Amino acid sequence: MAYWLMKAEPDDVSIDDLAAMPGQTVGWYGVRNYQARNFMRDQMRQGDQVLYYHSGCAVPGIAGIAEVCSGPYPDPTQFDPAHHYYDPKSTPAQPRWQQVDVRLVRKTRFLSLADMRAAPALDGMLVLARGNRLSITPVEPSHWRAVMALLGEPA
């Protein structure tokens, strides 16, 4: 099992939105960065654990825990000309963009980015690296355990 941090804008799909969805599951659509796509396509597996991170908001941070519950498959938004994430260079025969399904495990107390930066045990965590803008990053097992401790959750 691997660990990931996946960023979602709460105005799009917050942790509460995820909790209200059928099966508490969402397809992780709209990833348009090749490295993040490759993580989903090549490395994510069903059962991998996810830190559900609110970004693009006044106070970013971890809002809950989710798990990967599907293998990769083409992101349907790339084919829809009316969608914000449409990609005219992508075709059903040769899709450029992939997604996986993510299911809520549980909402947690909120752990802000500022609190994460203040925790020495999280030094080196990719989401904290200067200039990192990836929407999906791997999380080292030691960082996962440290985040769980900060959240008061079992590791």
Side-chain angles (χ1 to χ4, degrees), residues 94-150:
Q94 291 188 309
R96 294 172 111 184
W97 306 110
Q98 300 286 306
Q99 66 181 35
V100 297
D101 292 341
V102 173
R103 179 176 38 242
L104 179 67
V105 171
R106 65 186 163 276
K107 187 176 175 179
T108 62
R109 80 171 188 81
F110 191 78
L111 182 63
S112 72
L113 176 61
D115 289 340
M116 293 171 69
R117 287 195 188 285
L122 298 181
D123 285 351
M125 191 171 180
L126 291 178
V127 73
L128 303 178
R130 293 250 182 256
N132 177 40
R133 301 204 28 94
L134 283 176
S135 60
I136 298 171
T137 53
V139 175
E140 294 295 326
S142 61
H143 291 144
W144 180 269
R145 289 188 298 274
V147 167
M148 293 300 108
L150 290 167

Side-chain angles (χ1 to χ4, degrees), residues 11-29:
D11 288 346
D12 189 19
V13 183
S14 72
I15 194 80
D16 292 326
D17 295 332
L18 177 59
M21 291 181 169
Q24 297 184 321
T25 300
V26 66
W28 207 263
Y29 64 88

Side-chain angles (χ1 to χ4, degrees), residues 40-42 44-45 70-74 98-100:
M40 286 193 294
R41 186 190 67 198
D42 302 335
M44 283 187 172
R45 301 290 177 259
S70 80
Y73 61 95
Q98 300 286 306
Q99 66 181 35
V100 297

Side-chain angles (χ1 to χ4, degrees), residues 50-93:
V50 173
L51 297 172
Y52 199 98
Y53 185 94
H54 283 177
S55 69
C57 54
V59 182
I62 296 167
I65 301 168
E67 69 179 358
V68 176
C69 62
S70 80
Y73 61 95
D75 176 346
T77 64
Q78 67 191 311
F79 309 123
D80 180 357
H83 201 281
H84 173 72
Y85 291 113
Y86 174 63
D87 182 347
K89 294 182 180 177
S90 188
T91 66

